[in-house]
Amino acid sequence: MPYWLVALLLITVCLLLAQLIYGIGCQGSLIWVYVLALLLALFFSSFGLIVSNYSDTMQQAIFVMWFFVIMMLLLSGLFTPTRSMPEWAYLTTYVNPMHYFIDAIRTVYIRGGSFESIAPQLGALLGIGLCIGGWAIASYKKNS
């Protein structure tokens, strides 16, 4: 929970800076921005727990997380359109929560989208988050 609160604080600071410095305000509801951020935080905290459960050292966990976060970010569609990717790379976007987050944030923040326009992305983020969260709980082993 403390990490989620820090994430929400950082989102708030970024939204304020975007408004104050660049004059870019949210066209849709800020509630959906925060909901999307919380769902992405659910995924990443669960994924981090899975990686730490299977890692032997902290350095190994850091490297694995860095690798996956960079891969998810580069294949999310943030920097390049996903349809311009090779077919094998495009198929990875179906299991990439960053892809759904980026798509939904663009819809809400820039286009002023409502719940109906981001429902598929919300469902995908929730489904992926719950699956990874379940895996994290199942793989957790307490050290004695």
Side-chain angles (χ1 to χ4, degrees), residues 1-132:
M1 289 302 272
Y3 298 114
W4 289 7
L5 295 175
V6 169
L8 291 177
L9 177 67
L10 286 174
I11 289 281
T12 304
V13 168
C14 290
L15 292 173
L16 287 172
L17 288 175
Q19 179 67 44
L20 296 173
I21 295 173
Y22 299 109
I24 302 171
C26 184
Q27 301 301 311
S29 174
L30 283 176
I31 302 240
W32 292 120
V33 172
Y34 286 103
V35 167
L36 289 165
L38 283 174
L39 288 174
L40 192 66
L42 169 68
F43 166 77
F44 275 113
S45 58
S46 300
F47 188 66
L49 185 59
I50 290 170
V51 169
S52 68
N53 287 340
Y54 291 107
S55 297
D56 294 326
T57 64
M58 184 172 57
Q59 290 83 9
Q60 182 183 14
I62 290 170
F63 178 73
V64 169
M65 280 301 295
W66 179 82
F67 173 78
F68 277 104
V69 168
I70 295 297
M71 292 275 297
M72 282 189 268
L73 185 63
L74 291 175
L75 295 172
S76 69
L78 177 63
F79 302 115
T80 58
T82 56
R83 292 307 297 164
S84 66
M85 295 178 182
E87 187 64 27
W88 66 268
Y90 178 73
L91 292 176
T92 64
T93 63
Y94 289 111
V95 294
N96 186 353
M98 289 288 288
H99 169 71
Y100 297 108
F101 176 77
I102 298 292
D103 193 28
I105 283 292
R106 279 186 182 143
T107 301
V108 172
Y109 201 80
I110 296 171
R111 299 179 196 119
S114 62
F115 171 75
E116 292 80 24
S117 59
I118 62 167
Q121 291 89 351
L122 278 171
L125 278 171
L126 183 63
I128 292 171
L130 290 176
C131 287
I132 296 296

